[in-house]
Amino acid sequence: IIRETDPKLVKFEMDVLWVVYPGEDPVKWLEKYPGRWELMHLKDLRKGAPTGDKLSGKTDVENDVPLGTGQMDWPAILRAAKKAGVK
């Protein structure tokens, strides 16, 4: 969708948990598509929770943890978000 839409007309909100859960890196997505991410939904994933599940679209609610206590690298993500133009 990002590649097929006009950047002047279409912006996105990144849900960080749903980028990490299937095994992707939010920093790389922010760097790959700067200016396309307007907002971010900040959620953290329990340390040790498996990632790489690209098909189920679900994770146990027990894997949701307070921001900063899970496995996301928030300093790197937030630096990349700022550089990419996230509001």
Side-chain angles (χ1 to χ4, degrees):
I1 293 174
I2 290 176
R3 290 188 303 251
E4 299 297 323
T5 55
D6 185 341
K8 295 175 192 161
L9 303 173
V10 181
K11 303 292 183 190
F12 295 89
E13 177 179 356
M14 178 185 288
D15 186 314
V16 177
L17 184 137
W18 291 111
V19 172
V20 171
Y21 186 70
E24 297 292 326
D25 181 347
V27 171
K28 288 182 182 177
W29 278 70
L30 289 159
E31 291 172 347
K32 186 173 182 177
Y33 300 106
R36 298 304 302 269
W37 307 103
E38 191 162 284
L39 303 169
M40 292 179 74
H41 188 165
L42 306 181
K43 297 189 292 190
D44 215 335
L45 185 64
R46 178 182 54 81
K47 290 181 182 177
T51 60
D53 182 350
K54 295 186 185 288
L55 299 176
S56 75
K58 62 181 178 178
T59 180
D60 192 304
V61 70
E62 291 182 13
N63 288 327
D64 296 346
V65 295
L67 201 62
T69 65
Q71 57 182 289
M72 298 352 182
D73 182 356
W74 291 111
I77 293 168
L78 295 174
R79 274 191 307 272
K82 184 176 183 178
K83 187 175 179 183
V86 174
K87 292 179 179 181

